[in-house]
Each structure stands twice: as C-alpha cells, then as structure tokens.
Amino acid sequence: MDYQFKEIEKKWQGFWAQNQTFKAEATSDKPKFYVLDMFPYPSGAGLHVGHPLGYIASDIFSRYKRLKGFNVLHPMGYDSFGLPAEQYAIQTGQHPAVTTTANIATYRRQLDQIGFSFDWSREVRTSEPGYYKWTQWIFMLLFNSWYNLETDRAEDITTLIEKFNAAGNADVKAVCDEDVVSFMPSDWATMTPEEKQIILLKYRLTYLRESTVNWCAALGTVLANDEVKEGYSERGGHPVEQKKMMQWSMRISAYAERLLQGLNTIDWPEPVKEMQRNWIGKSVGASVKFPIAENEGFIEVFTTRVDTIFGVSFLVLAPEHELVSTLTTAAQADAVNGYIAQTKKKSELDRMSDTKTVSGAFTGSYVLNPITGEKVQLWIADYVLAGYGTGAVMGVPSGDQRDWLFAKHFGLPVVQILDSQTNIAEQADPTKEGKYINSGFITGMTYAEAIPAINSWLEAQNLGKAKINYRMRDAIFGRQRYWGEPIPVYFKDGLPYLIKEEELPLLLPEVDKYLPTESGEPPLGRAESWSYEDQYTYELSTMPGWAGSSWYWYRYMDAMNPDRFASEEAVSYWKDVDLYIGGSEHATGHLLYSRFWNKFLKDMGYVNEEEPFKKLINQGMILGRSNLVYRVIEADGKATNTLVSHGLKNQYKTTALHVDVNIVDNEILDIEKFKLFRPEFADAEFILENGHYICGVEVEKMSKSLYNVVNPDVLIENYGADTLRMYEMFLGPLEQSKPWNTNGIEGVFKFLRKFWRLFHNEAWEFNVSDAEPSKAELKTLHKIIKKVQDDIERFSFNTSVSSFMIAVNELTDLKSNNKQVLENLVVVLASYAPHICEELWQLLGNPAGSLSYAKYPVFVPEYLVEDEFSYPISFNGKTRLNLNISLSLDIPAVEQYVLADEQVQKYLEGKAPKKMIVVKGRIVNIVI
RNA sequence: GCUCAGAUGGUGGAACUGGUAGACACGCAGGACUUAAAAUCCUGUGACCUUAAAAGUCGUGCGGGUUCGAUUCCCGCUCUGAGUACCA
C-alpha cells in the first residue's frame, strides 16, 4: 500500500492512548530523565504552528531517551488561570471555568493529533481545586516562615518566636521590613497577640506591604508595568493611575544572593542568566550617613565608590524622598515645590527619553561630609530614583558623568581626587587608577587600599559601613481579579490570619459579575455569604499568574496525590527537571520565581534540589510571514479596483493589503479564492506578470488580523503529523527565531514517502530482504546512527532531518530493502516520525507498540572506516584537484605520492614546493 | 546609551575541533511519462568571464590582521533582532 498517513496516525495515536504507552514508571531500575515543556495558557484561539515547536523538540528528546533506556517523565498540563478568560467572562457573563475547560479540550485535541508522547495521567490544571490547594499550601508555608541570615535559609516562624522570647529582636539577623523597632524579651512577653502579629508580619516571607501600583479604575485591577502603555492600559486603553495599596508581597529579596550564585551551577543560555543577573542587580559598595547641618538627623546614601567621598561637592535627594519637605527652607520652598510639581507632570516616557537635560532644585539646606565635616548643598533632582538604594546620592562630579553635568549646570565645584584623572574640565573621569589627592587620610593610597580604609573608619565612627545593594524588589503577590487562586487568609481586627490547613482548598466563590464592587473592592467582594467562620472577611485579592507555575513541575511527579503536593518518594526519585524547553519571554518572571519557591521549599525540607531546572533551552519564536497584494491608487488618491502584481508595483502608486496566506502558494495568488476571500474584489482587474499574480512578503508576528496564521490542523490534514513534526524541525536551529513558511513542507513529505517505499516493491507490497547487509548499506546505517545521536544530544534537530534524507537517498540509490538495516533505521527515525515508524516496525514482524521501548542501535565505528580518501590538493590554500590516496600511507608517503602526480606537476610548473602540509584524512596543501 | 544574539545562493539553511563553502530541501529551468494536467522520475542551478569542452576570476555584511590555509580566531566598523533603561 502507498503511504496512508491518515490511517496510520489515527491507528497509533489510538494505540498509545489505549495502552498508556508513555506512562512514566513511579520507580524503576532505569535512570530517570525528566523532560518538561513550559505549559501553555489555553487561549481561545487554539494552537498555531509556532506553539508546538518546542513541544516537538522535547518530544523527540523524550522518545530518544526512552530508546536509550531511561525512565522518562514527560508530562503536560495547563496554566489555566489568567486574564483573557476573565476578560471574556466580563464581556459574556460565562464562567471562566467553562470557557477554560472548552479551550483545554481544543488544545488537547490539537496536541493529540501531533502524536506527542506525553504522560497524560499526570496532567495538571492550575485552576483546579485539587491543584491550587497546594499553591495555597505553599503560600501558608511562606507566611509561617522567616529568613534567618545566620543560617542563610528560611526557617519556621516558631524559631523566630523562640528567639524573641529568649533575647528580643536586637541580635536577630533576619530579612525583614526596614521599620522594625528593637525590643527586649520582657517587651515581647507583655505584648498582646495582636501586637505580636504586627511584628511577626514584618518578618514573614509573605507579608502585607503598602506598595505603589498601577491602578486601572475601569478594569478594577492592578496592572503590571508592561500592561501599561503611556499611562493607559494596553488592553482597552483605560487611564491608569499610581495608587498606594496594601498588597501581599513575597520576600524574594531574601534570596537575592542565592538566586545570583545559583546561576553558576545551571546549564542555561547565557542571555537568560545575564537577564537574571541584571534583574537581581547586585552592587557592592557602602552605605554612608551624611549629618544634616540644621538638625541632628542624617541622610543615608548608598555608593559604589566610597573612595570618592573626598570629592563630594553636593548631595541629591529624589524628589519623592521623605525628608524633602522638612529640609526645604522657606526661601527655597517655591523652587522646590515647583520642581516637584514639574516632575510629577512628566510621564514615565518623558523621564526616560529625556536623559540629557539637567534639572533640579536647591533645598536651601546643607549636609556635612561625614569625614571632612565640610558643608555641601542639598539638592533634589529627578535623576535620583526614590525606589533604588536610599533615594539619595552623593555628588562626585570628577568621577561620575551625571554628577559632572549636574555640577556644571548649577555651578557647583568639581574636585579632582585621583592623580590619574584627566581632562575633568571637559568630562568626568571614572578611573580607579593612580593615587588619591585632596583626599584626607587616604591621600597617596590606591583604590584597593582606600576602600577598606574608609569603610573601617566609617564603621568606627558609626557613620557608615560596607554594604551590598540589590536592585531586585520584593514581588507583589496580589491581583484584584477573579480568575486566580484565593489567598487563604482572613482578617480579624484588621490583621491577617491563615485559615486552618485542613480547610484547604479555599474554593473560589461564585460571583454574579466578574467586575469590581461599587466600592472598588475586587470581584471576590461580590461573593455572597463568603466569610470565614461566618464572621471574618476573607482576603479579596487573588494570587498572580505566576503562583501556579512556580512549583508545577513537582506536581507532575505525583499529580494525583491528595495528601501532599507530591510524595516524598516521588520528589526524591525524580529530583529535578533534566531538560526544560520554553520561550525566553519568561527569563525574569516565571524562571526567577520558580527558582525562588524551589529554594524556599528546599529550606523547609520538602524538596532536595537547590535548583529546579538543570538544563534550559529557549526555542525561538516562529514569526508570521504575511502576503500582500497591491491596490492601485489614482493620482487623486482614490483607490481603484485594480490590483498589480508585486514585480510591477513600482510602476504605479499603490497601497498594500494583507491577504490570507492560505490562498497563496509560493507567492502566487489563487485569484478565484481571493475573490471569495474579499468579495469587494470580485470584479477586480489583475495586472499579472508571466500569467501569475505574485504577492509581496513581509515578516511580522503571527496574528489573525494579519491573515498570516498557519493552523497545524490544516497541515496535518494534508500531510500528516509526522511530516509536520519533521518540517518544524527542518525549518532551522531550534533556538533561532524564524518566519514560518510552508513552502518547503513538500520536501519532507516526499522524504517520508521515499522512506516508506524502501520497504515496498513497485506494486506497493511490503517487501524486505533477509540477506546480510552490504558494506555500503552498513555504512549508511551507522553514519545515521551516529549523526542522529550526536545531533539530538546537542539539540540540533534540523541537521538530523537532512541526514535522514541523505540516508534514505543513499539506500534508494543502493536499491536496498535489507531488513536488518531498515529495522535499525526505523528505530533511529522513530523519535522524529513516530507513527510511520510504529507501523513499519509492526510490518517488520515486531509486537505492536514495542518500538517506543526498543533499543537505540549501537554505533559501530568500524563500518565507517575507509581505506581510501579523496584528498583535496590545494596550492597556496586554493583547491585545484582531488586525489584518491590510501589512508594506510603515512605523511611522507602521501607527499611523495602527491608530488609524483602528473596534474600536480602541471600546477607546480617545474618549481619546487616551498612547503607541504599534509593533514591525514583531511587535506594536502602545497605552498609554492 | 548599555548588554546579548545574529548577518552564508532566488529562499530555509549546512559546514560540530581553523582543513574541498553552499550539504539537504524549496523554488526555478529543461527533459521523460501523459491526449492534457496532477503526481512521479531524470538533468541542471552562487556570481562573473569564456567555451565545443576544459580552464579561469570573484565569493560567507564591510575594512584590516594572525595562519600553509579563516564562514570559523583577533581588532575596528555597518546593519538587523532581542533585552534593559538615569541603578548612584
């Protein structure tokens, strides 16, 4: 029979489902291997051709690892809480759970027909109570924990209470809020439970904090920075304002150093690691207190160049700094208030684009240089950010270009501090070279000497100390939305308390509408008779999108467990994810939060690995490839009913229109289908070239509105899943972004037919030979065995596809139908094109389905050994001819053989070669 | 501005450790089969020059360098894409 992909694929997909072929074993003598895909948000649009790219790669890898004898865990699930379902619910009144379930069904159908080897018995959905029970449980664990800097790990809150009982909080080294006041054990003993709770909240790893958020009144929710565009919400275009709100936060900053150090232990793409390093933003420096001249107070400054403190000629506060109002003198009040007002008016965008203009205002107050006692002016300026460091900066114009510009603009002094600084009249020189001048007790020292000298001096005077600063802020953990995990907290007298563990999961209540209440409370405020013990109000915000995805890889290990997020046995068997594939857009969000929760769970003894994802691969984005037609415009700007082919469009004035890529083949427009697609052009005139209408091409993102979405269902219908899988890989390196172009898919389809034909005779009857394989056949086979295993292990899937084509071409040329060779080839190809291989495997006489757990053939190098090599002979690096020379000849013998050749003599033109390079089995180069 | 990634035929791409640049595939051209078309098969296909054939010159974004030999290593530049945004 000819290659009937539809029947074959249906048959084997049914077989795998029925026999649970890909169910991972809970325990096994085999080594474990955990292959994970970033699970999708099930959107209403379904999958387009770009989504499965990473899944195909991970599936090939999983199938390959099974053939290599591993117990493979390869699960899939859905990140099913999210804003789009909620938006849709607001518009239609349909419960998000209903639309989500329907969307998941579509995803499942689409995934199934691609032939993935997922273990569906472990499927997770973050919006199911059985799953989010454990997300809530982790939240409770965080609430009941604090970060002990002495042990450098999170601990149960009871160990903190013990410390308070024994010695108060003075000696406690913990990550906590900045405003904790110190107390004695006797104070602690006399506190009310409420007072104790207030203090403990300042230490808990999840805590309430007043934060400035992007509040969108129309949506009734808080938006992330990237959901806000120029002061309006990206979705809907509603105005967004800055608002202070009490919000749940996660003390991720406690883990900053460990998150940074851990990057050195994992095999991730360097750009992702770099992004995380920037996000964490560690800077080593010192914190310095500048006494205020007018009162007893201090202004604290963070600096990475404490060695330049003798060059300080002014101090700058952020306009939002809390001391600005008290330190502004009456004479300067107008200037300062005017400047603050002006800063507020500037949009985020203005402040960003306008980095060259120098602006600021003098407060009228002075501070004292803590070392020299010199009086320097105190300014405010918007180049200092309230949110970073202490919101105050010491101005050293000779060493910092921004300070230099500021000083020049406002006529403040520029003091040279290093003898190696040059040209400071023109610009700042940030050098660390040379010796200090004009610098008090560090004059004459080098940079390396000065830093510790100043730090110890400051510390002795209690005016500062060495400090490490991180840019990373604690993560806000509440959203004013409906479709997310409820936070398992209730309020009593304004203080938050956890519900009891046995009361989990706290179910998402039903509401009449998915909108905020009239009083501006989140949608959960609409739930009727929803209170804790019928009297206390629950927390009304829900968890953010990243909550459910920050631990889901553990749930897959033991997805059905009702008593624990995953059993201890499962966690210690599967350990961590060996290979994680997903998009780089999650570089600083999901991947950072997941590492944080993983480290926390390890501290608390629930998991065993410090890092969750050993190896990470980012698949590139598949871009859309749009097709355009060109409508002729008359001189007066009126659109005509004439369309001109791409090659002739420069002879006319035209506008481009997007046309559905599915009615274009190799840029040739199907005019009849086009007339149906755009009925207004039913009578249009087409100006053709060579009898065809040729469309223009543009690469942009894949989107319905650009008519460039290619649906995998259509390709599977026409060519089958095996062709789709191989073609997606054939497109290019996995990690590279590339436009989708269906044009080449025929080549892959032809390859599979050609492969099928190797097993069949002219009449399409199955026909293989039991003969001993020839040397040539074995060579082809072992070449591909080696090539594919090398390629898969370095994630170079595209090159394997070419090699398969070469192998099948070679066997076709050899007219080979050797059973032994073909059976091995089936196993090698099985990870890429599993359906056709299962079918052929069975036709070869093997038990149905046993291919998935067959043995990957062993590569035997001897079959590739050649006794001759066709040496390229080059002269001065230019190849002129090839000579077949025995590989048994040693280098001098090769030289002799080459020089004796008639053609070589011709190129030498009688001259003696100056030099001869012979690389055995590679090349001969003659220098003349 | 800074950081990172990339640039190879008409197109997607290959060349893994410095060793025959353009594998494989698409497209295109020509041919076979066919009443015809589709499908299939065969041949050719980087550019230039020349040709009956052969040979030759150039060629991996641009300019230099190292080397017997560079798509590959080094220096400088251009362009494209991604991330980031006054970080003290």
Side-chain angles (χ1 to χ4, degrees), chain A residues 50 77 152 176 206 209 323 353 400 434 475 492 621 674 708 712 873:
Chain A
D152 198 24
C176 59
T206 182
R209 187 183 62 170
L323 290 174
S353 55
D400 182 285
K492 187 167 143 189
M621 219 199 340
F674 175 72
N708 60 6
I873 313 297

Side-chain angles (χ1 to χ4, degrees), chain A residues 265-468:
Chain A
T265 68
I266 48 185
D267 183 6
W268 283 20
E270 204 46 51
V272 176
K273 289 192 187 182
E274 197 58 31
M275 274 190 250
Q276 294 211 348
R277 284 190 195 108
N278 291 338
W279 190 265
I280 296 167
K282 180 181 184 176
S283 37
V284 178
S287 134
V288 184
K289 287 182 191 167
F290 281 70
I292 297 167
E294 285 79 7
N295 63 32
E296 299 297 293
F298 293 95
I299 289 174
E300 202 172 334
V301 160
F302 176 74
T303 176
T304 52
R305 287 295 301 274
V306 72
D307 57 302
T308 65
I309 194 161
F310 290 94
V312 172
S313 53
F314 57 95
L315 214 78
V316 191
L317 299 180
E320 300 90 345
H321 196 281
E322 53 182 8
L323 290 174
V324 170
S325 54
T326 52
L327 290 177
T328 301
T329 60
Q332 290 297 313
D334 285 351
V336 168
N337 291 334
Y339 184 72
I340 292 173
Q342 187 196 322
T343 309
K344 275 194 180 150
K345 248 190 291 173
K346 272 200 213 171
S347 75
E348 192 89 353
L349 202 78
D350 292 340
R351 259 175 100 158
M352 252 157 57
S353 55
D354 189 16
T355 59
K356 292 282 167 279
T357 325
V358 179
S359 69
F362 178 44
T363 61
S365 288
Y366 291 82
V367 294
L368 305 178
N369 185 314
I371 299 187
T372 63
E374 188 193 349
K375 242 173 128 178
V376 297
Q377 294 184 356
L378 179 66
W379 287 67
I380 63 168
D382 65 4
Y383 81 83
V384 180
L385 307 174
Y388 183 77
T390 59
V393 170
M394 61 184 215
V396 184
S398 65
D400 182 285
Q401 185 59 19
R402 271 169 335 185
D403 295 347
W404 188 91
L405 286 168
F406 195 83
K408 279 285 162 189
H409 191 262
F410 291 110
L412 296 160
V414 179
V415 182
Q416 188 176 355
I417 41 170
L418 276 160
D419 58 6
S420 64
Q421 280 178 319
T422 53
N423 212 15
I424 58 168
E426 298 303 318
Q427 57 177 351
D429 182 352
T431 183
K432 294 172 184 170
E433 305 294 316
K435 301 217 154 102
Y436 291 90
I437 55 171
N438 304 324
S439 291
F441 64 85
I442 62 162
T443 298
M445 289 188 190
T446 63
Y447 174 79
E449 295 159 351
I451 293 276
I454 293 181
N455 280 339
S456 54
W457 189 92
L458 287 169
E459 193 149 6
Q461 310 292 317
N462 202 21
L463 284 168
K465 60 179 179 207
K467 191 181 170 184
I468 292 169

Side-chain angles (χ1 to χ4, degrees), chain A residues 49-61 116 581 619 622 721-735 738 740 748 792 795-802 804 831-833:
Chain A
V49 108
H51 294 119
L53 183 75
Y55 305 157
I56 294 169
S58 66
D59 195 61
I60 290 168
F61 205 86
F116 291 124
I581 297 188
Q619 91 266 20
I622 298 273
D722 284 335
T723 297
L724 176 73
R725 288 167 64 104
M726 291 196 83
Y727 184 60
E728 292 232 7
M729 294 297 104
F730 190 55
L731 229 41
L734 179 62
E735 301 192 63
K738 56 222 157 216
W740 177 268
V748 173
I792 291 181
F795 307 99
S796 173
F797 301 99
N798 55 323
T799 47
S800 290
V801 180
S802 307
F804 282 125
S831 334
Y832 284 79

Side-chain angles (χ1 to χ4, degrees), chain A residues 138-363:
Chain A
I138 294 171
F139 176 92
M140 292 171 77
L141 203 59
L142 283 153
F143 186 87
N144 280 328
S145 305
W146 66 294
Y147 200 90
N148 186 343
L149 286 169
E150 266 169 305
T151 55
D152 198 24
R153 55 181 282 264
E155 292 180 13
D156 195 280
I157 198 84
T158 52
T159 65
L160 181 66
I161 295 170
E162 280 163 25
K163 282 177 190 284
F164 288 171
N165 282 330
N169 71 345
D171 291 330
V172 170
K173 298 234 184 325
V175 179
C176 59
D177 290 3
E178 274 156 28
D179 61 349
V180 287
V181 284
S182 69
F183 54 82
M184 305 297 291
S186 53
D187 300 328
W188 178 254
T190 57
M191 281 183 209
T192 65
E194 287 74 24
E195 285 169 332
K196 287 182 176 174
Q197 175 70 329
I198 290 170
I199 287 179
L200 288 174
L201 260 179
K202 296 177 190 296
Y203 288 85
R204 297 181 187 279
L205 287 184
T206 182
Y207 63 104
L208 278 170
R209 187 183 62 170
E210 189 167 70
S211 355
T212 317
V213 294
N214 301 307
W215 172 254
C216 178
L219 293 174
T221 190
V222 169
L223 300 173
N225 282 333
D226 57 322
E227 290 175 303
V228 183
K229 293 276 175 297
E230 297 175 35
Y232 292 89
S233 65
E234 194 181 31
R235 188 180 292 270
H238 307 292
V240 174
E241 55 178 310
Q242 301 292 300
K243 187 176 156 184
K244 291 215 167 197
M245 273 182 88
M246 282 306 263
Q247 290 266 37
W248 286 99
S249 278
M250 289 280 163
R251 233 180 271 282
I252 187 173
S253 57
Y255 285 87
E257 187 62 31
R258 279 166 68 186
L259 288 168
L260 187 66
Q261 294 309 322
L263 291 173
N264 300 327
T265 68
I266 48 185
D267 183 6
W268 283 20
E270 204 46 51
V272 176
K273 289 192 187 182
E274 197 58 31
M275 274 190 250
Q276 294 211 348
R277 284 190 195 108
N278 291 338
W279 190 265
I280 296 167
K282 180 181 184 176
S283 37
V284 178
S287 134
V288 184
K289 287 182 191 167
F290 281 70
I292 297 167
E294 285 79 7
N295 63 32
E296 299 297 293
F298 293 95
I299 289 174
E300 202 172 334
V301 160
F302 176 74
T303 176
T304 52
R305 287 295 301 274
V306 72
D307 57 302
T308 65
I309 194 161
F310 290 94
V312 172
S313 53
F314 57 95
L315 214 78
V316 191
L317 299 180
E320 300 90 345
H321 196 281
E322 53 182 8
L323 290 174
V324 170
S325 54
T326 52
L327 290 177
T328 301
T329 60
Q332 290 297 313
D334 285 351
V336 168
N337 291 334
Y339 184 72
I340 292 173
Q342 187 196 322
T343 309
K344 275 194 180 150
K345 248 190 291 173
K346 272 200 213 171
S347 75
E348 192 89 353
L349 202 78
D350 292 340
R351 259 175 100 158
M352 252 157 57
S353 55
D354 189 16
T355 59
K356 292 282 167 279
T357 325
V358 179
S359 69
F362 178 44
T363 61

Side-chain angles (χ1 to χ4, degrees), chain A residues 54 63 94 104 123 135 162 169 340 390 409 433 453 455 491 497 502 572 639 652 691 696 749 767 783 788 793 864 888:
Chain A
R63 287 176 178 273
Q94 275 209 69
I104 286 176
E123 181 199 291
T135 312
E162 280 163 25
N169 71 345
I340 292 173
T390 59
H409 191 262
E433 305 294 316
N455 280 339
F491 287 87
Y497 296 91
E502 55 270 26
S572 60
Y652 304 85
F749 182 67
N767 178 33
K783 235 168 39 185
V788 169
E793 277 169 20
L864 300 195
S888 61

Side-chain angles (χ1 to χ4, degrees), chain A residues 133 136-137 139-141 143-144 486-491 496-507 530-533 536-539:
Chain A
K133 172 182 178 177
Q136 292 172 332
W137 177 81
F139 176 92
M140 292 171 77
L141 203 59
F143 186 87
N144 280 328
I487 292 174
V489 161
Y490 66 93
F491 287 87
Y497 296 91
L498 293 178
I499 66 170
K500 297 191 194 76
E501 196 176 317
E502 55 270 26
E503 289 164 335
L504 290 177
L506 173 60
L507 293 174
W530 192 57
S531 53
Y532 186 66
E533 291 174 350
Y536 304 114
T537 54
Y538 280 118
E539 168 64 51

